[in-house]
Amino acid sequence: EIISTNATGSDTFINYVDIQDPPPTPCTPTGSGGSAGITSFTLENVSNPSSTSGVYEDFSCSDILNLLPGTTYNFLVGVAGVSRLRYFFDYNDDGDFTDTDESSSLWTLPVPTTTYQFSFTMPSTMTEGQLLRMRIIASTASITNTGCTTPSAGQVEDYSIYVEEPQVFGCTDPAASNYNPNATVDDGSCSYGSTTWYRDQDQDNFGDPNVSQQSTTQPPGFVLDNTDCDDNNANAFPGNPEGCDGVDNN
């Protein structure tokens, strides 16, 4: 919660911080990779210039892509001294790139040192609220579709994709009088004062205005409503259709 105040008044902003572990990976390339590799990567909120030094660079904890399901994206990859490229997405966060649509085609690069544009479409359903690994492999030789090729001349770079999980703001404390069991993010609204509850002896969800008690949580057999006209008859409550039974049903 952030409260901003100035001469004209104040505003309160409530949000949440999602702390994640690094995304799982099926393999970690090792070796030198020579002088060839990936020189830059640009997609949405990430623009990362990098060097071709070393065969593997892991940016999955520092460069996180905020993307949307069912959306098509274009991205740029700068390369130096390579002739093949493939990219991978672990959409279901199971630690591999072998599921449907998690591996791209093997691209042949006509110019070994330049910047190329690629495009992909995010699945309409995918894991939300977790860091998902994206991998790019550039090489002078062929690249398998498992995402575990270690180039003898080339480079592997990893990034993360994050798809925000829908959140419900409200009181998350079961001890509060206004506890919301559907809330996923506490918005600071929890109230712990006593609430008046009314007996619902006939279990029609309408309470007796003459029988009540104070409690911070809902007592068994009591409801917030206090408009029951006969708490001994489940067929008598406000709005109930009248029947030919000699009872004032509503």
Side-chain angles (χ1 to χ4, degrees):
E1 177 178 325
I2 298 176
I3 300 176
S4 175
T5 304
N6 58 27
T8 61
S10 64
D11 289 298
T12 300
F13 302 91
I14 298 175
N15 216 315
Y16 66 99
V17 175
D18 190 2
I19 300 174
Q20 295 285 332
D21 291 324
T25 179
C27 51
T28 301
T30 59
S32 66
S35 59
I38 301 168
T39 59
S40 64
F41 171 75
T42 302
L43 170 57
E44 288 298 293
N45 58 298
V46 169
S47 181
N48 182 41
S50 59
S51 72
T52 58
S53 176
V55 74
Y56 179 54
E57 292 190 274
D58 187 0
F59 301 108
S60 62
C61 289
S62 59
D63 293 82
I64 300 171
L65 299 155
N66 299 315
L67 306 182
L68 297 173
T71 303
T72 298
Y73 293 95
N74 297 320
F75 66 98
L76 301 175
V77 180
V79 296
V82 296
S83 56
R84 301 286 188 277
L85 187 139
R86 208 165 197 160
Y87 48 90
F88 306 84
F89 309 93
D90 185 11
Y91 286 129
N92 61 0
D93 201 35
D94 66 350
D96 63 50
F97 302 110
T98 61
D99 299 283
T100 303
D101 296 328
E102 290 192 337
S103 170
S104 76
S105 301
L106 177 63
W107 294 92
T108 299
L109 309 180
V111 180
T113 302
T114 188
T115 298
Y116 289 92
Q117 177 175 292
F118 303 93
S119 67
F120 68 96
T121 300
M122 295 271 283
S124 57
T125 59
M126 55 189 300
T127 300
E128 299 176 340
Q130 300 287 335
L131 293 182
L132 311 177
R133 190 172 294 271
M134 176 182 181
R135 173 166 290 181
I136 305 169
I137 302 179
S139 176
T140 57
S142 188
I143 303 167
T144 67
N145 62 1
T146 65
C148 285
T149 297
T150 298
S152 57
Q155 197 172 39
V156 180
E157 287 190 355
D158 281 358
Y159 297 85
S160 281
I161 294 173
Y162 184 80
V163 178
E164 187 172 0
E165 188 174 18
Q167 303 291 338
V168 177
F169 289 80
C171 176
T172 60
D173 187 353
S177 58
N178 62 331
Y179 166 62
N180 181 358
N182 297 317
T184 58
V185 178
D186 196 288
D187 62 0
S189 66
C190 290
S191 174
Y192 298 91
S194 293
T195 298
T196 302
W197 302 89
Y198 299 90
R199 187 183 65 182
D200 182 20
Q201 184 167 275
D202 56 8
Q203 298 183 358
D204 59 3
N205 295 318
F206 292 85
D208 186 341
N210 299 312
V211 182
S212 65
Q213 64 172 274
Q214 297 289 318
S215 176
T216 57
T217 58
Q218 183 175 8
F222 282 73
V223 295
L224 287 173
D225 181 89
N226 67 347
T227 61
D228 204 347
C229 43
D230 185 351
D231 201 33
N232 295 309
N233 186 349
N235 291 317
F237 55 84
N240 190 32
E242 285 290 349
C244 296
D245 54 6
V247 176
D248 185 3
N249 303 108
N250 65 358

